[in-house]
Amino acid sequence: MASAARRIGASKHAVAAIAALIVSTSTPAFAAAPPEWTQKAAEIAAPWPGLQETDGRFRDYVIARDPTDDRDDYGDPMLGYGLLQTAVRTGDAALADSALRALEYSLDRAARSPSTQVFHQLAVVSAYNVARERYPSHAVFQSARARWEDVLRRIEVYRIGKRAVTNKSIVETVLLLELLRSGLSSDVPGSALADRAGTDAAVRRFLSSDLPRAAKPYERGGRAVLGDMPLLPPSYHALSIGVLGRAIELLGADAPGAARLLLRRATEGSVASAAPDGEVAYHGRSQAQAWTLTLAAHGAEVAAVQPGASGRAVHYRGLARRAVANLIARYPTGPEGFLVTPSLAQSIPAAIPGLDEYVAATSYTGLTLSALEWAIAAAGDGSAASPRSGAVVVGGGTGSWATVRAGESWFAVKRARTSVRDLRYDTGFVALKVLRGGRWRDAMPLRPRTLKGDQSAGPILSGGGVPEFTEFKAAKGGRVIGRGGFRTKTGRWLRRGVTFTFAPTACGARMTWNARKGESYTYSGFFAGQPSIGTGSINDAQQQIRFGQRITAKRQDGYSSASDAELQRVIARFKRSGAGSASIEICD
């Protein structure tokens, strides 16, 4: 009897050991993530169960103030997915309940458009896999499971192999990989699960050839820029490396070598272009939105463990640490939830005009939190390098830009104006930071979002000529050289043979160019404070713009960016009294 009891006891221990092994191998190790990352995830997640309606949907502070059909409508499933990941990691039952209720609500409410559908489906499919593995007995999941699986069985391949490669194509690869690992099959004609082998082959073909080929024109010096080609807004580069990293994680050892190499090169692009405080999206659309930081961090952490990355892993992890540190420092959580841009922390109503028309609070909180949880799970235990000094150009064509780190100054210069209406796509200086008291601070606000007219900060040559460079390169001494001239929005050159030099100074950065006697120019500065206009300069508490000659100026109110809810524009005019070098210096 005693012997039998010992055998039964041993058998129980063996079963327990096997169960523990299954849990340990299917659950990511989170110990390597900095504790402040997990604290931030908890902060982001905490208010949302209290901001949930009885039917499961979340209240959205942006949509409540500006309810339009243009706003991204995948907030409930994406935020549900993020909360579910946090619940798994922390064991928070209230978060799990809230997440599953939101996901159940979203099952009967497909996204309005193909541009948002891919994110909606990604969240629904990914959350299904988490729920079936970790919450199979939860009452909400059991009730919704049949409907959930019916939704998954109807999903079709929409982008890869059928449409031009964009950031959403990479998102679809993750969606399809999650779908394939759901264990489901389908008899719905045309669905992705009806031809599992064909779907798998399409994903691998995209990652091994289609995506690397599409990215090739936007690589230089071993650095790639992904996302929306050819405009190359850095926000969608961050999105692309984050989701590409997720695809590689899901494929594991089967991930194509070309995709691994591209992730490393794209992360090199982020290391080169990110500001020293971790900011990654300082020009173009989706400017300074929180999800850009967590997706950049996740992509960098995955890149750090790829073959051939060992010598660069410290730089990739350095980027990840700085990006999440920026999130922690500048993106708080308020009574209405996590604030997805720094401007929203200043004033939600005043900030909304500076946001893209598609921004929604729940969608982007969910994307931020989901990617932060990915980054927490992927975080490596190792040292992280600080950003290096020097000048570098990233991207290709008119969408390329340069960054310079020299001493206590860092700045970014864009090669060409790639939208005549939106100042976020302007040419010239687009960001400037200075190191003061051990902390990097903005010496100029980010460019505001504008919707109409012929927009540029300049310098604009009379007749509407905006700087554009046919040759654009980084030079010794932390300088950027642009050779070209002044061109109108219709493409007509007003003057060629102009050389522009962008260089660091003791207080910030300076732009110089060869001007002619009698030429008239305008240049716009943007100020978060109340600017004072002098005979040759404009300044507020944040910045001073020096022209080196007499100016006249006028003010315009009503501007807003993702960094500043309210901005004032000051348009300075000046005329060259003689030939020679003209300059504009922007100082802390």
Side-chain angles (χ1 to χ4, degrees):
M1 182 77 70
S3 176
R6 282 195 295 272
R7 285 196 301 272
I8 293 170
S11 176
K12 287 181 178 178
H13 286 304
V15 170
I18 292 169
L21 178 62
I22 292 170
V23 170
S24 68
T25 55
S26 62
T27 304
F30 302 108
E36 58 269 23
W37 290 20
T38 58
Q39 292 163 9
K40 187 63 177 179
E43 175 208 306
I44 293 171
W48 292 102
L51 297 169
Q52 193 168 27
E53 304 289 359
T54 56
D55 60 3
R57 60 183 159 169
F58 294 109
R59 296 194 288 274
D60 190 301
Y61 57 79
V62 173
I63 292 175
R65 290 170 172 84
D66 189 16
T68 73
D69 286 342
D70 292 326
R71 301 212 174 274
D72 283 347
D73 58 346
Y74 56 85
D76 296 306
M78 188 62 76
L79 184 49
Y81 174 47
L83 294 176
L84 198 62
Q85 291 180 87
T86 305
V88 167
R89 183 175 51 77
T90 62
D92 190 320
L95 286 183
D97 292 344
S98 176
L100 290 169
R101 288 175 54 223
L103 286 152
E104 181 185 34
Y105 171 83
S106 71
L107 294 177
D108 300 324
R109 294 163 177 83
R112 285 188 298 265
S113 73
S115 69
T116 57
Q117 174 179 274
V118 67
F119 292 99
H120 190 286
Q121 292 176 337
L122 169 68
V124 169
V125 177
S126 300
Y128 171 82
N129 284 329
V130 175
R132 71 180 175 85
E133 293 171 357
R134 304 306 299 265
Y135 298 99
S137 302
H138 194 287
V140 174
F141 182 64
Q142 288 189 330
S143 172
R145 185 165 188 165
R147 283 189 297 134
W148 209 324
E149 293 175 352
D150 184 62
V151 169
L152 270 54
R153 289 188 173 103
R154 296 178 183 278
I155 291 174
E156 299 179 3
V157 179
Y158 179 79
R159 292 181 181 277
I160 63 171
K162 299 180 179 181
R163 288 169 173 79
V165 174
T166 71
N167 65 86
K168 295 181 181 69
S169 309
I170 313 174
V171 175
E172 189 176 59
T173 64
V174 177
L175 153 66
L176 295 174
L177 287 169
E178 290 279 15
L179 194 59
L180 290 170
R181 79 181 191 93
S182 69
L184 300 174
S185 58
S186 175
D187 58 5
V188 177
S191 68
L193 289 174
D195 181 10
R196 292 177 60 93
T199 299
D200 180 73
V203 168
R204 293 173 187 276
R205 184 167 55 249
F206 175 82
L207 291 172
S208 61
S209 59
D210 296 352
L211 179 60
R213 184 169 57 250
K216 193 66 178 177
Y218 308 101
E219 286 188 30
R220 65 165 76 203
R223 305 177 187 93
V225 179
L226 305 178
D228 284 1
M229 290 81 80
L231 294 180
L232 304 180
S235 54
Y236 290 91
H237 173 69
L239 173 69
S240 296
I241 69 167
V243 293
L244 178 57
R246 182 60 176 165
I248 289 169
E249 282 182 321
L250 292 173
L251 283 167
D254 290 336
R260 296 176 185 274
L261 178 59
L262 181 59
L263 177 63
R264 286 178 47 212
R265 288 177 172 173
T267 304
E268 291 288 351
S270 290
V271 169
S273 62
D277 64 355
E279 188 168 9
V280 296
Y282 39 80
H283 68 82
R285 67 192 184 99
S286 293
Q287 174 194 71
Q289 292 177 16
W291 50 264
T292 65
L293 299 165
T294 56
L295 282 157
H298 174 251
E301 289 287 356
V302 177
V305 297
Q306 298 310 305
S310 58
R312 300 292 298 165
V314 292
H315 298 283
Y316 302 163
R317 291 200 174 102
L319 168 67
R321 300 303 192 268
R322 291 189 294 276
V324 181
N326 190 295
L327 180 83
I328 293 167
R330 301 181 66 202
Y331 297 77
T333 298
E336 297 185 68
F338 175 67
L339 299 163
V340 297
T341 65
S343 60
L344 287 163
Q346 300 162 20
S347 167
I348 293 174
I352 287 176
L355 306 179
D356 298 276
E357 69 280 0
Y358 48 79
V359 171
T362 53
S363 299
Y364 292 174
T365 298
L367 194 54
T368 302
L369 180 59
S370 297
L372 180 55
E373 288 292 351
W374 289 351
I376 289 168
D381 188 8
S383 58
S386 299
R388 292 180 173 179
S389 297
V392 64
V393 176
V394 293
T398 56
S400 60
W401 72 98
T403 62
V404 171
R405 163 78 192 278
E408 296 185 343
S409 294
W410 174 91
F411 59 87
V413 179
K414 195 159 173 291
R415 175 175 177 170
R417 180 174 60 159
T418 45
S419 169
V420 299
R421 297 189 306 167
D422 192 341
L423 276 165
R424 298 176 302 175
Y425 285 98
D426 201 8
T427 186
F429 283 126
V430 291
L432 171 63
K433 297 177 185 287
V434 294
L435 184 63
R436 295 291 182 264
R439 183 175 68 88
W440 288 93
R441 60 182 299 275
D442 291 321
M444 60 179 279
L446 296 183
R447 293 288 171 83
R449 173 181 179 243
T450 51
L451 299 175
K452 59 183 180 180
D454 185 2
Q455 299 284 351
S456 176
I460 303 173
L461 179 62
S462 57
V466 174
E468 185 171 323
F469 315 128
T470 53
E471 182 183 344
F472 189 60
K473 66 179 183 179
K476 293 181 179 179
R479 296 175 301 139
V480 177
I481 307 295
R483 293 189 174 90
F486 293 91
R487 199 175 192 182
T488 69
K489 68 177 181 179
T490 61
R492 183 168 64 92
W493 289 98
L494 295 183
R495 184 150 81 83
R496 292 177 181 264
V498 183
T499 298
F500 296 82
T501 301
F502 301 84
T505 66
C507 65
R510 178 189 293 117
M511 166 177 51
T512 60
W513 71 98
N514 50 302
R516 292 175 178 172
K517 181 178 180 179
E519 287 182 333
S520 296
Y521 297 92
T522 61
Y523 184 82
S524 296
F526 296 90
F527 297 86
Q530 287 299 316
S532 172
I533 300 172
T535 57
S537 65
I538 312 165
N539 66 275
D540 67 359
Q542 182 177 356
Q543 68 172 323
Q544 182 181 61
I545 303 178
R546 303 171 180 171
F547 295 88
Q549 63 178 67
R550 184 176 295 275
I551 63 169
T552 60
K554 66 177 183 179
R555 309 166 192 255
Q556 292 179 348
D557 294 321
Y559 292 87
S560 179
S561 76
S563 67
D564 295 275
E566 297 181 80
L567 289 170
Q568 189 171 125
R569 183 178 193 170
V570 180
I571 304 173
R573 302 179 184 277
F574 56 98
K575 185 174 183 178
R576 295 294 298 169
S577 57
S581 180
S583 70
I584 297 172
E585 184 177 20
I586 305 174
C587 288
D588 168 42

